[in-house]
Amino acid sequence: MTSVIDFRRKSIVIITGASQVEEPNINILTYSPGPVNTAMFNEVIKNAQSAELKTQFKDIKTNNIILSTEQTVEKLLKILESGKYKSGGVIDYFDEM
């Protein structure tokens, strides 16, 4: 069974790939920042209706997998500066570079 996250990632790949074909002179990168410690993240822990979702988010925070905004932005800047990505591609914070 395909998860919602897998479906979203595949959809993003299709959309960015199509955009790259339509606009070949534009450099496109879709960046997934990972789990970032924001007010929205904490709102999910506090108010999500899904007990499973609350548990997943709590576990991310408890196990110290959560990232600061500085960490994820720093990674994005390194990726952009290196140029080591395929235009139209998708990169996740946790992908090896």
Side-chain angles (χ1 to χ4, degrees):
M1 177 184 239
T2 302
S3 74
V4 172
I5 293 171
D6 289 337
F7 177 75
R8 287 181 187 158
R9 186 173 178 111
K10 288 175 185 174
S11 298
I12 290 169
V13 168
I14 291 168
I15 292 167
T16 56
S19 298
Q20 183 62 39
V21 170
E22 292 173 9
E23 299 291 342
N25 295 327
I26 296 175
N27 193 4
I28 299 170
L29 173 65
T30 300
Y31 178 67
S32 177
V36 183
N37 191 9
T38 62
M40 185 171 68
F41 191 95
N42 294 315
E43 187 71 19
V44 171
I45 292 172
K46 184 178 176 186
N47 294 318
Q49 293 181 0
S50 166
E52 181 181 355
L53 186 62
K54 278 186 179 185
T55 299
Q56 288 174 350
F57 275 58
K58 284 180 185 176
D59 288 348
I60 288 169
K61 204 159 192 179
T62 301
N63 294 321
N64 206 26
I65 300 169
I66 196 162
L67 305 166
S68 69
T69 53
E70 291 83 5
Q71 285 174 294
T72 194
V73 169
E74 184 177 312
K75 173 90 178 232
L76 175 59
L77 291 174
K78 285 180 182 177
I79 293 166
L80 293 173
E81 289 169 352
S82 76
K84 294 181 181 179
Y85 61 90
K86 181 180 175 186
S87 184
V90 178
I91 296 179
D92 185 88
Y93 177 87
F94 297 106
D95 288 347
E96 294 292 324
M97 295 302 298

